[in-house]
Amino acid sequence: MADDRTMSDAATKILLSEEEMPRSWYNIVPDLPSPPPPVLHPGTLQPVGPDDLAPLFPMALIEQEVTTERYVTIPEEVLDVYRLWRPSPLFRARRLERALGTPAKIYYKYEGVSPAGSHKPNTAVPQAYYNASAGIRRLTTETGAGQWGTALAFAAAQFGIDCEIWQVRASYDQKPYRKMMIETFGGTIHPSPSDLTEAGRKVLADDPESPGSLGIAISEAVEVAAQHPDTNYALGSVLNHVLLHQTVIGEEALLQLAKVGATPDVIVGCTGGGSNFAGLAFPFLREKLAGRMSPVVRAVEPASCPSLTKGVYAYDFGDTAGMTPLMKMHTLGHDFIPDPIHAGGLRYHGMAPLISHVYELGLMEAVAKTQRECFEAGVLFARSEGIIPAPEPTHALAGCIEEALWCKETGESKVILTALCGHGHLDLPAYGKFLSGDMVDHELSSEAVEAALTKLPAVQAD
């Protein structure tokens, strides 16, 4: 019988059967050394209760948002849709390793096999299911790069409900095929800021050429949902229940690595709002906290929107108009509008409160990278592994390559794990910009950070 090293070296694609698919989502909160700070009502500054969230979310999702249970059972109706693409494959990036000349072993969990081409359906499907079960007939949402909007349109179609989406204007213009894909799934899509909402009209009055932001798009979607009793709002990242649903990524990866006797030394993930990163990392952090492994967990964010590395840890709104509850998170300020980089899914002013708390506890680290370095990593990955990555996971790939090249210098044979959270088939114009030399880097200056933080809400420090 082959030893673990031989098994690990021999594997290129590691698969699970449908019977091995996780039956529960993992909630990291019970395993943390201290609980995360509460979400506050913007008017009273008191912790929000279920009644405060009921106008936007069904009770099942509210319960998941605040649960202290370690595991939440995945409904059979959700598993039935998951089976269209889950379990997703785990690959050993052998050709990338050879191209780098590194002794490191690089594994990537590939979420681009989903119907939407990204990890987003992992939460879109349960959100659509729980809303449909509660009698909701329409969901509103925002989307940046369009992956979340695509996923929710797909998921809504599975459960017979409507879906209305506000897409950040910069990405709406850059990615016209996202609109077509969303409409093919049955969704309705608007560029944001739009003249359909008070929040959008206010932004356009101040800046008719506004490129938009996720914070603005959230304000528009929340405004419409709050005005109609048969309509709820759905969020693709940031909130606890969204991160919870994404943990199927990490749970599967744990089983797959065990099949080849591999244990990660470094886990690298891209971060915007944080759902893909948490989905991969949280199950491994559980194992780390239990003393069963000790990986370094590293987030990679865009240099133009560096909420972890340059933001402050403070209470802030999740949207630009200040309609959401106050969440304690690493933030650049809720009215911050990032430069229109091509990784539209990472253009969010704040980091998920739960990831921010984990960061504050010292359980993970973070770095920021410019988009040209990231696209360089994406092109190298495409030419070696044959998959064109979405702009968002090119940040994680850049982090993996940096670590692998360090291993080349030191001679260490580390196991590096990442999540390739989506393909870039609808992002080819961005690759065209990079290949033609027209892509420019945007880095957020300290002065811009200070200016963006001037309008944080006044909340008494703990």
Side-chain angles (χ1 to χ4, degrees), residues 49-339:
D51 290 345
D52 298 313
L53 300 174
L56 295 178
F57 303 108
M59 190 53 63
L61 291 179
I62 294 173
E63 290 172 353
Q64 290 178 8
E65 184 67 20
V66 300
T67 185
T68 57
E69 295 296 321
R70 185 170 284 105
Y71 296 99
V72 175
T73 301
I74 304 174
E76 185 57 41
E77 294 88 344
V78 172
L79 289 171
D80 186 54
V81 182
Y82 273 1
R83 289 186 184 97
L84 291 174
W85 76 98
R86 303 218 70 87
S88 67
L90 179 75
F91 290 96
R92 168 87 180 273
R94 295 182 172 281
R95 290 171 176 79
L96 178 60
E97 294 168 12
R98 288 199 290 268
L100 297 172
T102 179
K105 300 176 177 66
I106 304 172
Y107 291 89
Y108 62 95
K109 182 74 164 152
Y110 185 41
E111 293 294 300
V113 294
S114 79
S118 76
H119 68 294
K120 292 294 187 178
N122 295 332
T123 185
V125 171
Q127 288 194 53
Y129 163 73
Y130 288 121
N131 275 284
S133 298
I136 294 299
R137 302 308 309 153
R138 178 175 62 156
L139 290 174
T140 65
T141 197
E142 78 296 326
T143 194
Q147 291 180 337
W148 167 241
T150 303
L152 192 64
F154 155 74
Q158 305 311 302
F159 297 102
I161 56 179
D162 295 329
C163 181
E164 190 167 7
I165 299 153
W166 276 260
Q167 184 175 18
V168 176
R169 164 65 77 173
S171 292
Y172 182 91
D173 292 339
Q174 288 171 352
K175 306 172 192 293
Y177 290 102
R178 279 291 173 195
K179 176 178 184 291
M180 299 175 194
M181 195 170 181
I182 286 169
E183 291 176 340
T184 299
F185 280 134
T188 301
I189 183 170
H190 316 289
S192 172
S194 74
D195 61 2
L196 300 173
T197 67
E198 183 178 343
R201 289 190 291 270
K202 182 177 184 302
V203 173
L204 290 173
D206 293 336
D207 180 9
E209 302 301 319
S210 172
S213 71
L214 280 170
I216 296 169
I218 290 172
S219 293
E220 296 203 81
V222 169
E223 179 181 323
V224 172
Q227 293 171 348
H228 299 87
D230 66 344
T231 303
N232 270 354
Y233 169 69
L235 188 63
S237 192
V238 178
L239 296 181
N240 292 357
H241 67 268
V242 180
L243 275 56
L244 174 83
H245 299 155
Q246 292 293 352
T247 58
V248 292
I249 301 172
E251 295 287 27
E252 287 181 6
L254 273 166
L255 295 175
Q256 287 162 316
L257 287 176
K259 283 179 178 285
V260 294
T263 302
D265 297 297
V266 182
I267 296 172
V268 184
C270 63
T271 47
S275 67
N276 156 73
F277 176 82
L280 176 68
F282 279 5
F284 287 92
L285 278 174
R286 175 190 64 216
E287 302 303 300
K288 182 174 183 176
L289 289 165
R292 292 186 284 267
M293 60 178 63
S294 56
V296 172
V297 179
R298 184 175 300 140
V300 185
E301 60 185 6
S304 65
C305 195
S307 58
L308 284 171
T309 54
K310 286 192 176 180
V312 298
Y313 188 48
Y315 274 102
D316 198 6
F317 294 104
D319 71 316
T320 299
M323 300 173 65
T324 67
L326 293 169
M327 300 176 287
K328 194 164 189 182
M329 58 185 177
H330 281 265
T331 179
L332 296 166
H334 59 277
D335 60 347
F336 171 69
I337 299 179
D339 289 309

